[in-house]
Amino acid sequence: MISTESTSLKDDLYLAVNGRWLRTAVIPGDYPRVGTFPNLFFDVEKNLRNDLNDFMSGNETIQNKVILQAVKLYDMALGLRDSTVIKNDLEKINNMHNLKDLNDKLKFYFKNDFPLPLIAEVHGNMKDNSQKAFYVAGAKLILPDKSYYDADNSTGKQLLSRYSQAAKDLLIKLGYNTTFTSQTVELALRFDRRLLPIVKSPKEWADYPKIHNPISFVDFGKKSNYIDLQSMTRSLIDDEPKQIIIGEPRYFNHLNELINDDTFDEVKAWMLVSFLMKNADLIDEPSRQIISQYRNELLGINGVEKREKYACRLTTSLFSEPIGIYYGKKHFGEDAKKNVHDMVKKIINTYKKRLMKNEWLSEDTRKNAILKLDKMIVKIGYLEKN
């Protein structure tokens, strides 16, 4: 291996240019990577933490009502102590006795972001961005993708073991007995294994056109004999769409095998454990430490994120748009916004001039390319209005 100390350009261009950085760069203990964009993120996060702390201490006045709510959340996240609220939500899942209970509570679970064995979203139609569409997809595996479950993947086995132990520790900490804990975690893992041959692989998800699989509302309702998919859709959007876009056809073709009377206990356990692992940070600091052991191994890091960083990350994730507007106005500013906007406009005009002089494109292609440039809306820095 060529040394990074004194590499010449002719021996290794990459090491000659980047060798010094490779020798001196330090990856933070609570983050999986370092580089230009992570470093930018670190600076933004540091500025936001300073601002939030200034708001809390009274060094800066809060004039925006939404930012005030964000600061309250930040303060709450900093001081969480032995919260048992999560157990109330876990019991909402645990108190289901059959698929009728699940059907009856689907709207509540969707509206309150509970994990469910199917995903439903409304967003722009990928074939016609002037229209909205109702998209559905399947549940996600516990581990990042199917390759982790290969028989010879020791990392996957270790991660599942860590996941199981963290889930058991959290359930015991919340007062559940060992028998319930062991059975629930095992049932959750069993349902995860049921998903394995059915969910898409990363390669399949990368085939983007195959995400768009429209079927009629009537045919969508026929995909399950156990989940009332039509009532679920109506309850979520107060309407009856003409078509549903299925992101994972194979998943919905096997929906009766995944969700039925025989698998109900597995579905319930999977929902309970998934909800717990997703929200363990919100219980208290010891619980956050427990879940961090699994996440650290998953991300390949050693350090646990400091409480202040966690509180800032939680706050910015739930108030991303108002905090983004606030941050842009304070730390980016109107002058920088105008400069970048003008720069982008010059780039667009340069492209237009080059297209007008282009000799190898057809006339229609050039006209359509110029039309696309004329239709572009430049959005720089932050919104003009909250």
Side-chain angles (χ1 to χ4, degrees), residues 254-287:
H254 289 82
L255 198 56
N256 281 330
E257 300 170 28
L258 287 173
I259 308 171
N260 55 57
D261 292 327
D262 293 334
T263 64
F264 171 74
D265 288 339
E266 296 175 15
V267 174
K268 184 172 80 169
W270 176 86
M271 288 176 59
L272 190 147
V273 171
S274 298
F275 185 88
L276 174 63
M277 296 293 276
K278 179 182 177 182
N279 295 287
D281 287 320
L282 302 175
I283 301 173
D284 54 21
E285 185 59 23
S287 298

PDB file of all heavy atoms in Angstrom, residues 254-287:
ATOM      1  N   HIS A 254     -49.509 -11.532  -1.820  1.00  0.00           N
ATOM      2  CA  HIS A 254     -49.341 -12.498  -0.722  1.00  0.00           C
ATOM      3  C   HIS A 254     -49.919 -11.979   0.594  1.00  0.00           C
ATOM      4  O   HIS A 254     -49.624 -12.521   1.656  1.00  0.00           O
ATOM      5  CB  HIS A 254     -47.849 -12.817  -0.520  1.00  0.00           C
ATOM      6  CG  HIS A 254     -47.245 -13.636  -1.626  1.00  0.00           C
ATOM      7  ND1 HIS A 254     -46.814 -13.073  -2.798  1.00  0.00           N
ATOM      8  CD2 HIS A 254     -47.021 -14.969  -1.721  1.00  0.00           C
ATOM      9  CE1 HIS A 254     -46.316 -14.013  -3.582  1.00  0.00           C
ATOM     10  NE2 HIS A 254     -46.451 -15.177  -2.961  1.00  0.00           N
ATOM     11  N   LEU A 255     -50.740 -10.941   0.515  1.00  0.00           N
ATOM     12  CA  LEU A 255     -51.231 -10.306   1.735  1.00  0.00           C
ATOM     13  C   LEU A 255     -52.058 -11.265   2.595  1.00  0.00           C
ATOM     14  O   LEU A 255     -51.983 -11.223   3.830  1.00  0.00           O
ATOM     15  CB  LEU A 255     -52.059  -9.066   1.374  1.00  0.00           C
ATOM     16  CG  LEU A 255     -52.288  -8.048   2.493  1.00  0.00           C
ATOM     17  CD1 LEU A 255     -50.964  -7.566   3.076  1.00  0.00           C
ATOM     18  CD2 LEU A 255     -53.081  -6.848   1.967  1.00  0.00           C
ATOM     19  N   ASN A 256     -52.830 -12.129   1.965  1.00  0.00           N
ATOM     20  CA  ASN A 256     -53.619 -13.098   2.730  1.00  0.00           C
ATOM     21  C   ASN A 256     -52.740 -14.082   3.503  1.00  0.00           C
ATOM     22  O   ASN A 256     -53.136 -14.581   4.555  1.00  0.00           O
ATOM     23  CB  ASN A 256     -54.566 -13.865   1.809  1.00  0.00           C
ATOM     24  CG  ASN A 256     -55.804 -13.057   1.453  1.00  0.00           C
ATOM     25  OD1 ASN A 256     -56.261 -12.232   2.227  1.00  0.00           O
ATOM     26  ND2 ASN A 256     -56.333 -13.282   0.261  1.00  0.00           N
ATOM     27  N   GLU A 257     -51.559 -14.384   2.968  1.00  0.00           N
ATOM     28  CA  GLU A 257     -50.632 -15.272   3.669  1.00  0.00           C
ATOM     29  C   GLU A 257     -49.977 -14.566   4.849  1.00  0.00           C
ATOM     30  O   GLU A 257     -49.696 -15.184   5.889  1.00  0.00           O
ATOM     31  CB  GLU A 257     -49.536 -15.754   2.713  1.00  0.00           C
ATOM     32  CG  GLU A 257     -50.049 -16.520   1.513  1.00  0.00           C
ATOM     33  CD  GLU A 257     -48.964 -16.747   0.489  1.00  0.00           C
ATOM     34  OE1 GLU A 257     -47.780 -16.803   0.881  1.00  0.00           O
ATOM     35  OE2 GLU A 257     -49.285 -16.859  -0.715  1.00  0.00           O
ATOM     36  N   LEU A 258     -49.744 -13.260   4.711  1.00  0.00           N
ATOM     37  CA  LEU A 258     -49.066 -12.498   5.760  1.00  0.00           C
ATOM     38  C   LEU A 258     -49.996 -12.134   6.917  1.00  0.00           C
ATOM     39  O   LEU A 258     -49.605 -12.194   8.083  1.00  0.00           O
ATOM     40  CB  LEU A 258     -48.478 -11.212   5.176  1.00  0.00           C
ATOM     41  CG  LEU A 258     -47.247 -11.339   4.288  1.00  0.00           C
ATOM     42  CD1 LEU A 258     -46.911  -9.997   3.669  1.00  0.00           C
ATOM     43  CD2 LEU A 258     -46.066 -11.856   5.101  1.00  0.00           C
ATOM     44  N   ILE A 259     -51.197 -11.726   6.570  1.00  0.00           N
ATOM     45  CA  ILE A 259     -52.135 -11.231   7.585  1.00  0.00           C
ATOM     46  C   ILE A 259     -53.407 -12.046   7.524  1.00  0.00           C
ATOM     47  O   ILE A 259     -54.224 -11.902   6.606  1.00  0.00           O
ATOM     48  CB  ILE A 259     -52.450  -9.738   7.366  1.00  0.00           C
ATOM     49  CG1 ILE A 259     -51.162  -8.917   7.247  1.00  0.00           C
ATOM     50  CG2 ILE A 259     -53.303  -9.208   8.507  1.00  0.00           C
ATOM     51  CD1 ILE A 259     -51.389  -7.482   6.829  1.00  0.00           C
ATOM     52  N   ASN A 260     -53.580 -12.927   8.510  1.00  0.00           N
ATOM     53  CA  ASN A 260     -54.786 -13.750   8.598  1.00  0.00           C
ATOM     54  C   ASN A 260     -54.993 -14.139  10.058  1.00  0.00           C
ATOM     55  O   ASN A 260     -54.217 -13.727  10.944  1.00  0.00           O
ATOM     56  CB  ASN A 260     -54.681 -14.976   7.686  1.00  0.00           C
ATOM     57  CG  ASN A 260     -53.440 -15.791   7.963  1.00  0.00           C
ATOM     58  OD1 ASN A 260     -53.230 -16.244   9.087  1.00  0.00           O
ATOM     59  ND2 ASN A 260     -52.601 -15.996   6.945  1.00  0.00           N
ATOM     60  N   ASP A 261     -55.999 -14.907  10.334  1.00  0.00           N
ATOM     61  CA  ASP A 261     -56.292 -15.278  11.717  1.00  0.00           C
ATOM     62  C   ASP A 261     -55.146 -16.043  12.366  1.00  0.00           C
ATOM     63  O   ASP A 261     -54.869 -15.873  13.556  1.00  0.00           O
ATOM     64  CB  ASP A 261     -57.568 -16.127  11.770  1.00  0.00           C
ATOM     65  CG  ASP A 261     -58.810 -15.325  11.393  1.00  0.00           C
ATOM     66  OD1 ASP A 261     -58.838 -14.113  11.689  1.00  0.00           O
ATOM     67  OD2 ASP A 261     -59.735 -15.896  10.792  1.00  0.00           O
ATOM     68  N   ASP A 262     -54.454 -16.868  11.572  1.00  0.00           N
ATOM     69  CA  ASP A 262     -53.375 -17.681  12.125  1.00  0.00           C
ATOM     70  C   ASP A 262     -52.123 -16.859  12.440  1.00  0.00           C
ATOM     71  O   ASP A 262     -51.336 -17.224  13.321  1.00  0.00           O
ATOM     72  CB  ASP A 262     -53.005 -18.811  11.152  1.00  0.00           C
ATOM     73  CG  ASP A 262     -54.122 -19.827  11.018  1.00  0.00           C
ATOM     74  OD1 ASP A 262     -54.922 -19.965  11.970  1.00  0.00           O
ATOM     75  OD2 ASP A 262     -54.213 -20.463   9.953  1.00  0.00           O
ATOM     76  N   THR A 263     -51.919 -15.770  11.702  1.00  0.00           N
ATOM     77  CA  THR A 263     -50.709 -14.953  11.911  1.00  0.00           C
ATOM     78  C   THR A 263     -50.982 -13.713  12.762  1.00  0.00           C
ATOM     79  O   THR A 263     -50.078 -12.905  12.985  1.00  0.00           O
ATOM     80  CB  THR A 263     -50.122 -14.490  10.555  1.00  0.00           C
ATOM     81  OG1 THR A 263     -51.076 -13.632   9.902  1.00  0.00           O
ATOM     82  CG2 THR A 263     -49.794 -15.675   9.672  1.00  0.00           C
ATOM     83  N   PHE A 264     -52.213 -13.555  13.237  1.00  0.00           N
ATOM     84  CA  PHE A 264     -52.560 -12.320  13.947  1.00  0.00           C
ATOM     85  C   PHE A 264     -51.632 -12.037  15.130  1.00  0.00           C
ATOM     86  O   PHE A 264     -51.190 -10.909  15.331  1.00  0.00           O
ATOM     87  CB  PHE A 264     -54.013 -12.365  14.434  1.00  0.00           C
ATOM     88  CG  PHE A 264     -54.361 -11.222  15.339  1.00  0.00           C
ATOM     89  CD1 PHE A 264     -54.545  -9.946  14.846  1.00  0.00           C
ATOM     90  CD2 PHE A 264     -54.458 -11.418  16.726  1.00  0.00           C
ATOM     91  CE1 PHE A 264     -54.830  -8.874  15.680  1.00  0.00           C
ATOM     92  CE2 PHE A 264     -54.747 -10.357  17.571  1.00  0.00           C
ATOM     93  CZ  PHE A 264     -54.939  -9.083  17.042  1.00  0.00           C
ATOM     94  N   ASP A 265     -51.339 -13.059  15.951  1.00  0.00           N
ATOM     95  CA  ASP A 265     -50.477 -12.842  17.119  1.00  0.00           C
ATOM     96  C   ASP A 265     -49.089 -12.358  16.708  1.00  0.00           C
ATOM     97  O   ASP A 265     -48.472 -11.549  17.413  1.00  0.00           O
ATOM     98  CB  ASP A 265     -50.359 -14.125  17.942  1.00  0.00           C
ATOM     99  CG  ASP A 265     -51.636 -14.448  18.701  1.00  0.00           C
ATOM    100  OD1 ASP A 265     -52.448 -13.519  18.917  1.00  0.00           O
ATOM    101  OD2 ASP A 265     -51.830 -15.620  19.068  1.00  0.00           O
ATOM    102  N   GLU A 266     -48.604 -12.845  15.582  1.00  0.00           N
ATOM    103  CA  GLU A 266     -47.300 -12.390  15.090  1.00  0.00           C
ATOM    104  C   GLU A 266     -47.369 -10.931  14.650  1.00  0.00           C
ATOM    105  O   GLU A 266     -46.472 -10.138  14.948  1.00  0.00           O
ATOM    106  CB  GLU A 266     -46.854 -13.258  13.907  1.00  0.00           C
ATOM    107  CG  GLU A 266     -46.605 -14.716  14.265  1.00  0.00           C
ATOM    108  CD  GLU A 266     -46.276 -15.542  13.033  1.00  0.00           C
ATOM    109  OE1 GLU A 266     -45.965 -14.941  11.976  1.00  0.00           O
ATOM    110  OE2 GLU A 266     -46.322 -16.780  13.107  1.00  0.00           O
ATOM    111  N   VAL A 267     -48.437 -10.588  13.940  1.00  0.00           N
ATOM    112  CA  VAL A 267     -48.621  -9.204  13.488  1.00  0.00           C
ATOM    113  C   VAL A 267     -48.674  -8.267  14.686  1.00  0.00           C
ATOM    114  O   VAL A 267     -48.020  -7.212  14.716  1.00  0.00           O
ATOM    115  CB  VAL A 267     -49.900  -9.066  12.638  1.00  0.00           C
ATOM    116  CG1 VAL A 267     -50.169  -7.596  12.305  1.00  0.00           C
ATOM    117  CG2 VAL A 267     -49.783  -9.886  11.360  1.00  0.00           C
ATOM    118  N   LYS A 268     -49.451  -8.638  15.687  1.00  0.00           N
ATOM    119  CA  LYS A 268     -49.595  -7.805  16.888  1.00  0.00           C
ATOM    120  C   LYS A 268     -48.253  -7.636  17.597  1.00  0.00           C
ATOM    121  O   LYS A 268     -47.892  -6.518  18.002  1.00  0.00           O
ATOM    122  CB  LYS A 268     -50.627  -8.421  17.841  1.00  0.00           C
ATOM    123  CG  LYS A 268     -50.892  -7.560  19.068  1.00  0.00           C
ATOM    124  CD  LYS A 268     -52.052  -8.097  19.893  1.00  0.00           C
ATOM    125  CE  LYS A 268     -51.629  -9.258  20.763  1.00  0.00           C
ATOM    126  NZ  LYS A 268     -52.679  -9.603  21.761  1.00  0.00           N
ATOM    127  N   ALA A 269     -47.513  -8.729  17.759  1.00  0.00           N
ATOM    128  CA  ALA A 269     -46.214  -8.663  18.431  1.00  0.00           C
ATOM    129  C   ALA A 269     -45.245  -7.805  17.636  1.00  0.00           C
ATOM    130  O   ALA A 269     -44.482  -7.005  18.211  1.00  0.00           O
ATOM    131  CB  ALA A 269     -45.653 -10.071  18.624  1.00  0.00           C
ATOM    132  N   TRP A 270     -45.268  -7.954  16.317  1.00  0.00           N
ATOM    133  CA  TRP A 270     -44.386  -7.152  15.456  1.00  0.00           C
ATOM    134  C   TRP A 270     -44.710  -5.664  15.587  1.00  0.00           C
ATOM    135  O   TRP A 270     -43.808  -4.830  15.669  1.00  0.00           O
ATOM    136  CB  TRP A 270     -44.551  -7.620  14.008  1.00  0.00           C
ATOM    137  CG  TRP A 270     -43.775  -6.829  13.010  1.00  0.00           C
ATOM    138  CD1 TRP A 270     -42.479  -7.006  12.617  1.00  0.00           C
ATOM    139  CD2 TRP A 270     -44.277  -5.699  12.257  1.00  0.00           C
ATOM    140  NE1 TRP A 270     -42.132  -6.081  11.670  1.00  0.00           N
ATOM    141  CE2 TRP A 270     -43.211  -5.259  11.429  1.00  0.00           C
ATOM    142  CE3 TRP A 270     -45.495  -5.047  12.196  1.00  0.00           C
ATOM    143  CZ2 TRP A 270     -43.352  -4.179  10.556  1.00  0.00           C
ATOM    144  CZ3 TRP A 270     -45.624  -3.971  11.340  1.00  0.00           C
ATOM    145  CH2 TRP A 270     -44.568  -3.550  10.529  1.00  0.00           C
ATOM    146  N   MET A 271     -45.990  -5.320  15.615  1.00  0.00           N
ATOM    147  CA  MET A 271     -46.383  -3.927  15.790  1.00  0.00           C
ATOM    148  C   MET A 271     -45.906  -3.391  17.136  1.00  0.00           C
ATOM    149  O   MET A 271     -45.377  -2.279  17.235  1.00  0.00           O
ATOM    150  CB  MET A 271     -47.909  -3.795  15.698  1.00  0.00           C
ATOM    151  CG  MET A 271     -48.483  -3.963  14.311  1.00  0.00           C
ATOM    152  SD  MET A 271     -50.308  -3.897  14.291  1.00  0.00           S
ATOM    153  CE  MET A 271     -50.610  -2.256  14.976  1.00  0.00           C
ATOM    154  N   LEU A 272     -46.079  -4.179  18.194  1.00  0.00           N
ATOM    155  CA  LEU A 272     -45.711  -3.736  19.542  1.00  0.00           C
ATOM    156  C   LEU A 272     -44.202  -3.514  19.659  1.00  0.00           C
ATOM    157  O   LEU A 272     -43.753  -2.463  20.141  1.00  0.00           O
ATOM    158  CB  LEU A 272     -46.188  -4.769  20.566  1.00  0.00           C
ATOM    159  CG  LEU A 272     -46.100  -4.373  22.040  1.00  0.00           C
ATOM    160  CD1 LEU A 272     -47.240  -4.999  22.837  1.00  0.00           C
ATOM    161  CD2 LEU A 272     -44.770  -4.785  22.657  1.00  0.00           C
ATOM    162  N   VAL A 273     -43.427  -4.495  19.210  1.00  0.00           N
ATOM    163  CA  VAL A 273     -41.966  -4.384  19.321  1.00  0.00           C
ATOM    164  C   VAL A 273     -41.451  -3.255  18.422  1.00  0.00           C
ATOM    165  O   VAL A 273     -40.569  -2.485  18.828  1.00  0.00           O
ATOM    166  CB  VAL A 273     -41.297  -5.724  18.967  1.00  0.00           C
ATOM    167  CG1 VAL A 273     -39.771  -5.563  18.870  1.00  0.00           C
ATOM    168  CG2 VAL A 273     -41.640  -6.779  20.008  1.00  0.00           C
ATOM    169  N   SER A 274     -41.992  -3.135  17.218  1.00  0.00           N
ATOM    170  CA  SER A 274     -41.563  -2.070  16.303  1.00  0.00           C
ATOM    171  C   SER A 274     -41.850  -0.695  16.885  1.00  0.00           C
ATOM    172  O   SER A 274     -41.018   0.220  16.809  1.00  0.00           O
ATOM    173  CB  SER A 274     -42.262  -2.219  14.943  1.00  0.00           C
ATOM    174  OG  SER A 274     -41.936  -3.434  14.327  1.00  0.00           O
ATOM    175  N   PHE A 275     -43.027  -0.536  17.484  1.00  0.00           N
ATOM    176  CA  PHE A 275     -43.379   0.748  18.108  1.00  0.00           C
ATOM    177  C   PHE A 275     -42.431   1.059  19.256  1.00  0.00           C
ATOM    178  O   PHE A 275     -41.969   2.195  19.416  1.00  0.00           O
ATOM    179  CB  PHE A 275     -44.822   0.701  18.612  1.00  0.00           C
ATOM    180  CG  PHE A 275     -45.313   2.013  19.153  1.00  0.00           C
ATOM    181  CD1 PHE A 275     -45.903   2.950  18.318  1.00  0.00           C
ATOM    182  CD2 PHE A 275     -45.173   2.330  20.498  1.00  0.00           C
ATOM    183  CE1 PHE A 275     -46.350   4.166  18.811  1.00  0.00           C
ATOM    184  CE2 PHE A 275     -45.606   3.543  21.005  1.00  0.00           C
ATOM    185  CZ  PHE A 275     -46.207   4.468  20.150  1.00  0.00           C
ATOM    186  N   LEU A 276     -42.141   0.058  20.070  1.00  0.00           N
ATOM    187  CA  LEU A 276     -41.247   0.250  21.205  1.00  0.00           C
ATOM    188  C   LEU A 276     -39.855   0.670  20.756  1.00  0.00           C
ATOM    189  O   LEU A 276     -39.278   1.633  21.283  1.00  0.00           O
ATOM    190  CB  LEU A 276     -41.166  -1.041  22.019  1.00  0.00           C
ATOM    191  CG  LEU A 276     -40.156  -1.062  23.169  1.00  0.00           C
ATOM    192  CD1 LEU A 276     -40.519  -0.032  24.226  1.00  0.00           C
ATOM    193  CD2 LEU A 276     -40.084  -2.453  23.777  1.00  0.00           C
ATOM    194  N   MET A 277     -39.302  -0.035  19.781  1.00  0.00           N
ATOM    195  CA  MET A 277     -37.939   0.259  19.330  1.00  0.00           C
ATOM    196  C   MET A 277     -37.860   1.624  18.647  1.00  0.00           C
ATOM    197  O   MET A 277     -36.843   2.315  18.725  1.00  0.00           O
ATOM    198  CB  MET A 277     -37.470  -0.842  18.390  1.00  0.00           C
ATOM    199  CG  MET A 277     -37.366  -2.206  19.048  1.00  0.00           C
ATOM    200  SD  MET A 277     -36.064  -2.305  20.303  1.00  0.00           S
ATOM    201  CE  MET A 277     -34.646  -2.655  19.264  1.00  0.00           C
ATOM    202  N   LYS A 278     -38.941   2.012  17.984  1.00  0.00           N
ATOM    203  CA  LYS A 278     -38.965   3.306  17.310  1.00  0.00           C
ATOM    204  C   LYS A 278     -39.001   4.464  18.296  1.00  0.00           C
ATOM    205  O   LYS A 278     -38.440   5.540  18.037  1.00  0.00           O
ATOM    206  CB  LYS A 278     -40.177   3.367  16.380  1.00  0.00           C
ATOM    207  CG  LYS A 278     -40.341   4.684  15.636  1.00  0.00           C
ATOM    208  CD  LYS A 278     -41.603   4.659  14.791  1.00  0.00           C
ATOM    209  CE  LYS A 278     -41.833   5.982  14.082  1.00  0.00           C
ATOM    210  NZ  LYS A 278     -43.081   5.983  13.282  1.00  0.00           N
ATOM    211  N   ASN A 279     -39.648   4.246  19.450  1.00  0.00           N
ATOM    212  CA  ASN A 279     -39.899   5.358  20.378  1.00  0.00           C
ATOM    213  C   ASN A 279     -39.180   5.224  21.719  1.00  0.00           C
ATOM    214  O   ASN A 279     -39.461   5.998  22.641  1.00  0.00           O
ATOM    215  CB  ASN A 279     -41.404   5.468  20.629  1.00  0.00           C
ATOM    216  CG  ASN A 279     -42.174   5.854  19.378  1.00  0.00           C
ATOM    217  OD1 ASN A 279     -42.117   6.992  18.928  1.00  0.00           O
ATOM    218  ND2 ASN A 279     -42.878   4.898  18.799  1.00  0.00           N
ATOM    219  N   ALA A 280     -38.265   4.282  21.830  1.00  0.00           N
ATOM    220  CA  ALA A 280     -37.581   4.065  23.111  1.00  0.00           C
ATOM    221  C   ALA A 280     -36.827   5.299  23.595  1.00  0.00           C
ATOM    222  O   ALA A 280     -36.702   5.530  24.806  1.00  0.00           O
ATOM    223  CB  ALA A 280     -36.621   2.878  22.992  1.00  0.00           C
ATOM    224  N   ASP A 281     -36.344   6.110  22.661  1.00  0.00           N
ATOM    225  CA  ASP A 281     -35.624   7.336  23.035  1.00  0.00           C
ATOM    226  C   ASP A 281     -36.470   8.246  23.911  1.00  0.00           C
ATOM    227  O   ASP A 281     -35.937   9.052  24.686  1.00  0.00           O
ATOM    228  CB  ASP A 281     -35.229   8.116  21.782  1.00  0.00           C
ATOM    229  CG  ASP A 281     -34.082   7.460  21.021  1.00  0.00           C
ATOM    230  OD1 ASP A 281     -33.160   6.964  21.676  1.00  0.00           O
ATOM    231  OD2 ASP A 281     -34.130   7.433  19.789  1.00  0.00           O
ATOM    232  N   LEU A 282     -37.793   8.161  23.762  1.00  0.00           N
ATOM    233  CA  LEU A 282     -38.690   9.101  24.435  1.00  0.00           C
ATOM    234  C   LEU A 282     -39.066   8.662  25.847  1.00  0.00           C
ATOM    235  O   LEU A 282     -39.812   9.372  26.524  1.00  0.00           O
ATOM    236  CB  LEU A 282     -39.972   9.268  23.604  1.00  0.00           C
ATOM    237  CG  LEU A 282     -39.776   9.762  22.169  1.00  0.00           C
ATOM    238  CD1 LEU A 282     -41.100   9.761  21.422  1.00  0.00           C
ATOM    239  CD2 LEU A 282     -39.166  11.153  22.168  1.00  0.00           C
ATOM    240  N   ILE A 283     -38.571   7.506  26.281  1.00  0.00           N
ATOM    241  CA  ILE A 283     -38.928   7.018  27.621  1.00  0.00           C
ATOM    242  C   ILE A 283     -38.087   7.731  28.674  1.00  0.00           C
ATOM    243  O   ILE A 283     -38.606   8.455  29.517  1.00  0.00           O
ATOM    244  CB  ILE A 283     -38.725   5.497  27.716  1.00  0.00           C
ATOM    245  CG1 ILE A 283     -39.592   4.789  26.663  1.00  0.00           C
ATOM    246  CG2 ILE A 283     -39.078   4.998  29.114  1.00  0.00           C
ATOM    247  CD1 ILE A 283     -39.335   3.298  26.555  1.00  0.00           C
ATOM    248  N   ASP A 284     -36.799   7.522  28.635  1.00  0.00           N
ATOM    249  CA  ASP A 284     -35.867   8.179  29.555  1.00  0.00           C
ATOM    250  C   ASP A 284     -34.453   7.919  29.054  1.00  0.00           C
ATOM    251  O   ASP A 284     -34.242   7.231  28.046  1.00  0.00           O
ATOM    252  CB  ASP A 284     -36.047   7.680  31.006  1.00  0.00           C
ATOM    253  CG  ASP A 284     -35.947   6.172  31.133  1.00  0.00           C
ATOM    254  OD1 ASP A 284     -35.364   5.531  30.223  1.00  0.00           O
ATOM    255  OD2 ASP A 284     -36.458   5.621  32.117  1.00  0.00           O
ATOM    256  N   GLU A 285     -33.475   8.451  29.741  1.00  0.00           N
ATOM    257  CA  GLU A 285     -32.084   8.319  29.299  1.00  0.00           C
ATOM    258  C   GLU A 285     -31.590   6.875  29.316  1.00  0.00           C
ATOM    259  O   GLU A 285     -30.937   6.429  28.361  1.00  0.00           O
ATOM    260  CB  GLU A 285     -31.171   9.211  30.138  1.00  0.00           C
ATOM    261  CG  GLU A 285     -29.723   9.243  29.683  1.00  0.00           C
ATOM    262  CD  GLU A 285     -29.553   9.719  28.247  1.00  0.00           C
ATOM    263  OE1 GLU A 285     -30.447  10.423  27.735  1.00  0.00           O
ATOM    264  OE2 GLU A 285     -28.521   9.364  27.633  1.00  0.00           O
ATOM    265  N   PRO A 286     -31.860   6.078  30.370  1.00  0.00           N
ATOM    266  CA  PRO A 286     -31.420   4.671  30.344  1.00  0.00           C
ATOM    267  C   PRO A 286     -31.999   3.895  29.150  1.00  0.00           C
ATOM    268  O   PRO A 286     -31.303   3.071  28.554  1.00  0.00           O
ATOM    269  CB  PRO A 286     -31.939   4.109  31.672  1.00  0.00           C
ATOM    270  CG  PRO A 286     -31.990   5.294  32.581  1.00  0.00           C
ATOM    271  CD  PRO A 286     -32.413   6.428  31.701  1.00  0.00           C
ATOM    272  N   SER A 287     -33.232   4.165  28.790  1.00  0.00           N
ATOM    273  CA  SER A 287     -33.830   3.491  27.632  1.00  0.00           C
ATOM    274  C   SER A 287     -33.138   3.913  26.344  1.00  0.00           C
ATOM    275  O   SER A 287     -32.935   3.100  25.426  1.00  0.00           O
ATOM    276  CB  SER A 287     -35.328   3.806  27.542  1.00  0.00           C
ATOM    277  OG  SER A 287     -36.012   3.328  28.676  1.00  0.00           O
TER     278      SER A 287
END
